[in-house]
Amino acid sequence: MSGSCLHRSWEVSTVPDGALLGGAGKGNRNPAIDTVEKSDAPVVPEKPPNKGKAHAFEGTGSAEAVEGRGAAKGNAGETPAGRTPSRETASKGLEGIRETAKRDKRVKFTALLHHITPSLLVESFYDLNKTAAVGVDGVTWRDYEDILYERVHELHREIHTGAYRAQASRRTYIHKTDGKLRPLGIAAVEDKIVQQAVVKVLSAIYEEDFLGFSYGFRRGRGQHDALDALWMGILTKQIGWILDADISAFFDTIDHEWMMKFLQHRIADKRILRLIKKWLKAGVIEDGKRIASERGTPQGAVISPLLANIYLHYVFDTWAHH
C-alpha cells in the first residue's frame, strides 16, 4: 500500500456553505475577539546545552522492526527572509538538534527559539494549506501572501521579544461517520505560521524519540503503513489476539498540566513552552463569544497533531513498548 499524506500540516480546507455546521463564516478583525492573554516580557536567550554522552539505542518492538525508522527531514534557512523561501533539506541548526536528540535521550534543550528565523517563518507559511478555511481574523492565505515579506520581520520580532499574542480559534463542526459532530478549531493565519515553525523545530527532537509503531501524523508515515506493519506481523509472528481501541474525545480532553510536564522532559526553553501554553489557553470563538480553554488542544490546529503524539508517547506508547 502507498503511504499517506498525514504528515502534512493538519488544516481544514474551505468547503461549500452548509458543509460545516456552527461556523461563523469569515471573521472580522475586531481585537475584542483576541485572546485575553497578555504579552510576555522580553526574555534573554539561554546558552545552548553541552552535548550529552552517546549511548546505544534500546531494542524496538516487532512492528518497528518490520517497518523501520526513517530519519525525519527538516528544512529551515538561517538567513533573513528573501523573496524566495529557502527549501534546503535541513539547516545546520536543526540538524544539530536532531543529532543531539538522537545521541542523548535525556538531554533537555534550553535554547530553541533562535531557530525560529524569518526564513523559517516564510517557509512555514508556504507549507500551509492555501485553501484552508479562515480563522477569526478573516484573513485568507492569499491575503497574507500579499503582506508576507513586509510583515515577517515584525512577526519575528514579536516572537522573540514576547510581544506575540495567540488569537482564539474559530469553532466549527464537521460530520463524523457515526452521525455525530466533530468540533474543529480554525486558527488565524499568523498563528498557523508560528505553530508550523515550532513544529519544524520540535519535530527534530521528537522524531528521534517516537517509537517505530507510532504512525499517526508523522512525516512519511500513515495509516496504510500501520496496516502494512500489522499485516506483516500477522504473517511472520505468532499472533494470539489483536486489540482495537479508540480514545474518546482525545483532542478535546488533553490535560494541559500533564501536557506541559511531558514537554519539559525534553524542552527547557521557557519561551517555547510559553508559546505552546498560549495556544493551549487561547480558547475558541463560537457564536461570537470567546470560550476559555481549560483542557484539550484544538483539533484542526497545526500544532495539535504533534502535541497529541507527544502526549501519547508518554501515556501510552512507552507503556506499550515496555
Side-chain angles (χ1 to χ4, degrees):
M1 301 178 183
S2 60
S4 78
C5 297
L6 282 180
H7 64 272
R8 296 189 58 80
S9 299
W10 190 17
E11 295 183 68
V12 181
S13 299
T14 306
V15 296
D17 293 339
L20 296 178
L21 302 183
K26 276 198 174 185
N28 55 43
R29 307 192 187 200
N30 185 348
I33 61 178
D34 292 346
T35 177
V36 297
E37 184 174 10
K38 294 183 179 179
S39 302
D40 299 325
V43 180
V44 180
E46 299 175 78
K47 293 182 180 179
N50 294 328
K51 293 183 178 180
K53 294 181 180 179
H55 61 83
F57 286 111
E58 297 178 354
T60 57
S62 59
E64 186 172 5
V66 171
E67 194 64 29
R69 288 188 68 174
K73 295 181 180 180
N75 46 12
E78 292 296 327
T79 56
R83 294 300 301 180
T84 303
S86 171
R87 291 295 177 185
E88 298 176 0
T89 56
S91 71
K92 292 181 179 179
L94 293 187
E95 188 60 32
I97 292 174
R98 185 175 294 109
E99 289 300 320
T100 302
K102 180 178 181 180
R103 184 168 53 247
D104 191 341
K105 300 297 184 181
R106 299 162 298 177
V107 69
K108 294 184 178 182
F109 293 84
T110 60
L112 293 174
L113 193 69
H114 71 278
H115 292 285
I116 308 296
T117 62
S119 291
L120 183 61
L121 292 171
V122 170
E123 181 181 333
S124 298
F125 170 76
Y126 282 101
D127 283 343
L128 299 178
N129 183 350
K130 298 176 177 58
T131 61
V134 299
V136 295
D137 57 351
V139 178
T140 67
W141 187 93
R142 298 294 180 186
D143 292 336
Y144 199 90
E145 186 182 31
D146 293 337
I147 62 169
L148 174 63
Y149 293 96
E150 289 74 20
R151 172 61 184 158
V152 68
H153 292 285
E154 177 64 17
L155 176 60
H156 176 260
R157 183 197 66 79
E158 291 175 1
I159 294 168
H160 284 262
T161 60
Y164 164 79
R165 295 178 62 191
Q167 298 186 67
S169 298
R170 180 172 68 85
R171 171 60 55 83
T172 189
Y173 295 88
I174 60 173
H175 285 286
K176 297 172 63 175
T177 55
D178 60 3
K180 297 180 180 179
L181 296 177
R182 184 191 304 279
L184 300 179
I186 313 300
V189 174
E190 214 156 70
D191 290 327
K192 292 178 183 178
I193 296 170
V194 184
Q195 288 183 20
Q196 178 69 8
V198 170
V199 166
K200 285 177 176 289
V201 173
L202 295 188
S203 292
I205 299 170
Y206 287 105
E207 279 300 318
E208 299 300 331
D209 289 358
F210 291 153
L211 301 181
F213 55 76
S214 171
Y215 290 92
F217 302 107
R218 293 180 61 189
R219 182 174 295 276
R221 288 165 172 259
Q223 67 268 42
H224 293 300
D225 302 306
L227 289 172
D228 286 346
L230 178 63
W231 179 254
M232 290 300 298
I234 293 172
L235 290 179
T236 60
K237 307 289 182 180
Q238 292 184 346
I239 301 298
W241 50 269
I242 295 173
L243 174 65
D244 180 15
D246 185 24
I247 303 175
S248 178
F250 173 57
F251 283 89
D252 301 329
T253 56
I254 286 178
D255 185 283
H256 288 177
E257 184 177 354
W258 278 109
M259 182 79 257
M260 300 307 298
K261 286 181 179 180
F262 293 146
L263 286 165
Q264 289 169 32
H265 283 306
R266 281 297 225 171
I267 312 301
D269 188 332
K270 294 181 180 179
R271 300 163 299 167
I272 291 290
L273 294 173
R274 193 176 292 115
L275 276 176
I276 294 173
K277 194 169 184 178
K278 284 183 177 184
W279 293 323
L280 291 176
K281 297 296 185 182
V284 297
I285 299 296
E286 186 170 8
D287 297 329
K289 297 180 180 179
R290 180 180 179 275
I291 302 174
S293 177
E294 299 299 329
R295 62 178 184 173
T297 180
Q299 190 167 357
V302 174
I303 193 73
S304 292
L306 178 61
L307 294 182
N309 278 345
I310 294 170
Y311 199 96
L312 285 175
H313 174 73
Y314 288 104
V315 303
F316 180 76
D317 291 355
T318 53
W319 171 82
H321 178 62
H322 287 296

